[in-house]
Amino acid sequence: MTEPQPPIPVTEPSVWDYFVEKIKFWDRESSGQESDNEGRSPVSGEVKGFPWRTGLALALALIAQLTLEPSLNRTPWPGVVLYGLALACLVAAIFTKEWALPAHRPDAENALSTTFKMDFLLIGIALAVIAFLLFGSGRFGFLNTLTWLLSILFLFLAFRKPKTGGKQDW
């Protein structure tokens, strides 16, 4: 006979409990847990529960769409009224600030900078125009395909970022 195994401790959360804890963003603030946005405050208002106005607006809009399906003796007015109610619920959700976004925080300390090499860019554009003119016949030949590939290569080299560690002379 096998011995009965001890039951799973009650204090250990299951995978489902962990998953539900991660997706319930509206309940994090009330339970005192730290959110993933530490140091950031919402732009406007706080989330105070389930966004029922937005859900109601979606449900009313879907029902309105169903009432507008083609059928005999169909009148559009129930769909128009339901769409109006959905719009009113959506406007109420916006005015009550049902959804709040965290304050913008840049991902990096340095701003994104784009640099390019003007000489490679001009050569790439010129080769692209020549390739466009050579492809006027609609056939792939050696010369027009080569100019097309060279234009792609020079455009790639124009926007390529230099290596941070080594010296790059071109």
Side-chain angles (χ1 to χ4, degrees):
M1 292 190 118
T2 60
E3 293 183 25
Q5 295 187 2
I8 298 174
V10 180
T11 59
E12 182 178 334
S14 67
V15 174
W16 178 254
D17 292 334
Y18 177 77
F19 177 71
V20 168
E21 178 185 326
K22 289 298 180 188
I23 63 170
K24 285 177 70 174
F25 61 88
W26 59 86
D27 199 29
R28 282 191 192 138
E29 309 241 344
S30 63
S31 65
Q33 295 177 352
E34 289 290 325
S35 66
D36 295 332
N37 304 329
E38 32 182 83
R40 292 190 246 179
S41 62
V43 172
S44 58
E46 293 181 7
V47 178
K48 294 182 175 84
F50 185 75
W52 64 271
R53 290 177 194 91
T54 307
L56 183 62
L58 177 65
L60 287 172
L62 289 174
I63 294 170
Q65 186 63 39
L66 286 175
T67 62
L68 294 176
E69 288 291 321
S71 64
L72 296 175
N73 301 327
R74 178 187 58 87
T75 177
W77 293 112
V80 171
V81 169
L82 287 172
Y83 269 129
L85 289 173
L87 180 65
C89 287
L90 197 57
V91 168
I94 290 171
F95 281 130
T96 58
K97 296 181 172 104
E98 201 168 68
W99 294 96
L101 297 175
H104 176 69
R105 187 175 79 185
D107 293 334
E109 293 178 9
N110 299 336
L112 180 66
S113 64
T114 304
T115 59
F116 60 93
K117 297 176 182 70
M118 183 61 82
D119 49 352
F120 285 150
L121 181 67
L122 292 176
I123 292 170
I125 290 173
L127 285 172
V129 169
I130 292 170
F132 177 76
L133 294 174
L134 290 176
F135 271 111
S137 64
R139 295 184 178 210
F140 282 86
F142 177 75
L143 183 62
N144 56 7
T145 306
L146 180 67
T147 55
W148 175 53
L149 291 174
L150 283 174
S151 71
I152 293 173
L153 175 71
F154 276 100
L155 289 172
F156 172 76
L157 290 174
F159 290 102
R160 192 178 119 201
K161 293 197 180 253
K163 292 183 181 179
T164 57
K167 182 181 177 185
Q168 185 175 354
D169 56 352
W170 51 277

